Amino acid sequence: MTPLLQVKGIEKLYGARIGCADVTFDLYPGEVMGIVGESGSGKSTLLNCLAGHLVPDAGQVIFDTRANGPVDTVTMSEPERRMLSRTDWAFVHQHVRDGLRMSVSAGGNIGERLMAVGDRRYGDIRDKAIDWLGRVEIEAARVDDRPTAFSGGMQQRLQIARNLVTGPRLVFMDEPTGGLDVSVQARLLDLLRGLVREMGLSAIIVTHDLAVVRLLADRLMVMKDGHVVEAGLTDQVLDDPQHAYTQLLVSSVLQV
Amino acid sequence: MSAYNFAYLDEQTKRMIRRAILKGLAIPGYQVPFASREMPMPYGWGTGGVQVSAATLTPEDTLKVIDQGADDTTNAVSIRKFFEKTAGVETTEETEKATVIQTRHRIPEAKLREDQIIVYQVPIPEPLRFLEPRETETRKMHSLEEYGLMHVKLYEDISQHGAISTAYAYPVKVCGRYVMDPSPIPKFDNPKLEMDAIQLFGAGREQRIYAVPPHTRVVSLDFEDYPFEATKADHPCDLCGAEDSYLDEVIMDDAGNRMFVCSDTDYCRSRREAGHMGRLAEENAA
């Protein structure tokens, strides 16, 4: 089977400092990869390099496109890359304000990607928006409300609906549960797990919350100072950490 | 007025503006940056249009200036006087006789000809501005033809008002490529954007010039199930009886009486001279 995403030797430098270096992994269709590590370990830099928001200084990000098979997205032309990020890719931001248009209604937010790929029937766009609101457990009656009128958890669910409406194959998530209280987090994780399984999505989730990766991720990479220090199956890494830093990370989780 | 160069601006500046105009005509709908000058009027009063007119005028030209369709409002009168003084060109109120027409917020009702140039005053040239505040991003969206966002605005209109409620500055796609703000003309005028005359758009504060060459395809954006409609007040003109012209509503008294009159004063006058009469025409004459 061809991997959906092949990452080869990705390196990003900020001047003399290392953002992330020498990251290599494959992601197969339907697989969820977790990336954990402390603040400043290069998780977000890596995610932004993969999603095309940052240009890496070295390495390849090969995505298995629908039309042309595996293509390096780093050297791909910008229109093609932006087209990918509107159709086959999705990016869920930690801060919903980065991912939603706060002055546009929920329906408009969900419809934007549809209209960007050429949907020109209002009725269809609205039906799909209402359908997706239902899938992320937001009442259909809220379709004309702006995200500013939503709670934090609803905003995050709306952002997920807006991203998944075009049926992407790969989802990048940057701390999707950051800033939400634990009960809302639990519902969001439940929802995400359902959607990922139901749609057969592949996902790369960056987080510092080990519970999130335990629930969602099949595989796990642990990062420290820009390097991957340990990688493997999630349960294996969390239950039997080998690297000193991973051991520290796992033992730092508060037991209630 | 020998103290001024012809049409106020110096020749170098006019050359610079003409280059921008030619580039604009070569790439219909594309916003060409230009080094906008300080003009002896405040921003928002048509500094962009005045500069484009100044660069376009020749001593043989006849100039007409309209503001909301009227020849006799402050803005129109002062710009007309400005060019009478600094260029010494002939001016007229008759659309037929003009070779250069500077306009704010309207296209004349009379069909324009191939030997005429119409210059629009533009406050905000970027149609995507209110949805995407970053200039770097909107430029990228234009260059990559990513116009989905424009439909988000129309979607919002329908979801809030049940119809596309954008009534002026209605976005259009020019020549199948660039999405353009036609300046704040009513959407009633949008179908007229496909015309025989050259159309030039000048935004002074924003320092942009763009253009639509004659006979260029201009399509108003819409949805398949909510098509574009050119709307106007559903009345005939109360002075000249015209049913095909764009109307202004005038409140007459505190008792709720109102009248509708052509916003294009020249069109209305020429119809009345030809003997057409509206509902309130006689009492107005008396």
Side-chain angles (χ1 to χ4, degrees), chain A residues 35-39 41 43 207-208 221-224 245 249:
Chain A
I35 302 174
V36 295
E38 59 190 0
S39 298
S41 61
K43 312 182 296 272
T207 181
H208 55 246
M221 287 199 317
V222 183
M223 289 188 75
K224 180 164 171 43
Y245 174 70
L249 196 68

Side-chain angles (χ1 to χ4, degrees), chain A residues 78-79 82 86 101 103-105 107-108 112 115-116 119-126 129 143-144 146, chain B residues 130-133 137 140-141 144 146-149 151-152 154-156 158-160 222-226:
Chain A
E78 192 173 8
R82 283 175 75 111
R86 283 204 303 268
R101 292 194 188 275
S103 55
V104 169
S105 70
E112 181 176 345
M115 292 182 251
D119 222 328
R120 291 288 177 269
R121 279 197 81 80
Y122 175 83
D124 294 354
I125 294 167
R126 197 167 172 81
V143 67
D144 291 332
R146 291 182 175 185
Chain B
F130 290 107
L131 298 149
E132 177 53 69
E137 189 61 21
K140 191 162 275 178
M141 290 160 89
L144 299 178
E146 282 181 7
Y147 290 132
L149 200 52
H151 276 86
V152 172
L154 302 179
Y155 172 94
E156 289 290 287
I158 301 172
S159 72
Q160 282 172 25
D222 59 1
F223 285 102
E224 286 166 24
D225 40 356
Y226 285 84

Side-chain angles (χ1 to χ4, degrees), chain B residues 59-280:
Chain B
E60 296 77 40
D61 272 320
T62 308
L63 180 72
K64 170 184 164 82
V65 185
I66 51 173
D67 170 9
Q68 305 269 15
D71 289 278
D72 51 4
T73 49
T74 319
N75 200 203
V77 171
S78 51
I79 291 175
R80 194 161 55 229
K81 278 196 180 149
F82 175 76
F83 281 119
E84 278 170 6
K85 236 183 197 175
T86 58
V89 292
E90 254 183 76
T91 55
T92 178
E93 294 196 359
E94 288 173 51
T95 308
E96 286 285 302
K97 289 186 182 158
T99 53
V100 176
I101 303 170
Q102 181 172 336
T103 174
R104 171 173 177 268
H105 298 196
R106 269 317 304 280
I107 297 176
E109 304 291 353
K111 194 171 181 297
L112 299 185
R113 299 183 311 266
E114 257 176 10
D115 59 342
Q116 291 177 310
I117 296 176
I118 180 164
V119 178
Y120 298 79
Q121 300 171 201
V122 183
I124 294 175
E126 179 51 71
L128 302 160
R129 178 60 68 238
F130 290 107
L131 298 149
E132 177 53 69
R134 288 167 295 178
E135 173 72 14
T136 46
E137 189 61 21
T138 52
R139 279 202 208 183
K140 191 162 275 178
M141 290 160 89
H142 279 294
S143 63
L144 299 178
E145 233 180 311
E146 282 181 7
Y147 290 132
L149 200 52
M150 211 64 252
H151 276 86
V152 172
K153 181 180 186 307
L154 302 179
Y155 172 94
E156 289 290 287
D157 267 4
I158 301 172
S159 72
Q160 282 172 25
H161 307 289
I164 297 178
S165 60
T166 302
Y168 64 95
Y170 194 101
V172 294
K173 194 165 207 177
V174 182
C175 206
R177 177 60 182 82
Y178 284 97
V179 165
M180 182 187 93
D181 182 344
S183 87
I185 58 172
K187 66 176 167 184
F188 174 79
D189 284 343
N190 267 24
K192 292 189 221 157
L193 287 164
E194 285 186 14
M195 62 164 75
D196 299 342
I198 294 175
Q199 303 174 74
L200 305 175
F201 299 77
R205 183 188 50 209
E206 304 286 323
Q207 314 200 321
R208 293 289 185 277
I209 285 172
Y210 50 102
V212 178
H215 313 293
T216 303
R217 191 156 41 88
V218 180
V219 180
S220 304
L221 300 180
D222 59 1
F223 285 102
E224 286 166 24
D225 40 356
Y226 285 84
F228 170 80
E229 273 180 294
T231 53
K232 66 184 270 289
D234 190 17
H235 284 270
C237 171
D238 282 334
L239 294 181
C240 74
E243 299 193 358
D244 57 351
S245 74
Y246 191 74
L247 302 175
D248 286 338
E249 184 179 359
V250 184
I251 306 285
M252 304 292 284
D253 52 28
D254 288 347
N257 285 319
R258 59 196 59 202
M259 69 186 288
F260 290 90
V261 291
C262 293
S263 96
D264 185 337
T265 50
D266 173 57
Y267 183 73
C268 199
R269 184 187 46 73
S270 64
R271 273 181 60 87
R272 271 178 287 150
E273 281 172 6
H276 296 281
M277 278 211 274
R279 183 174 63 96
L280 299 171

Side-chain angles (χ1 to χ4, degrees), chain A residues 8 32 53 56 66 69-70 74 79 94 104 108 117 129 138 158 164 167 176 178 188 240-241 243 251:
Chain A
K8 292 181 181 170
V32 179
H53 299 170
R66 283 185 219 232
V74 177
Q94 173 180 7
V104 169
V117 296
I138 298 175
L158 178 62
L164 297 187
L188 185 70
D240 183 18
H243 191 272
S251 62

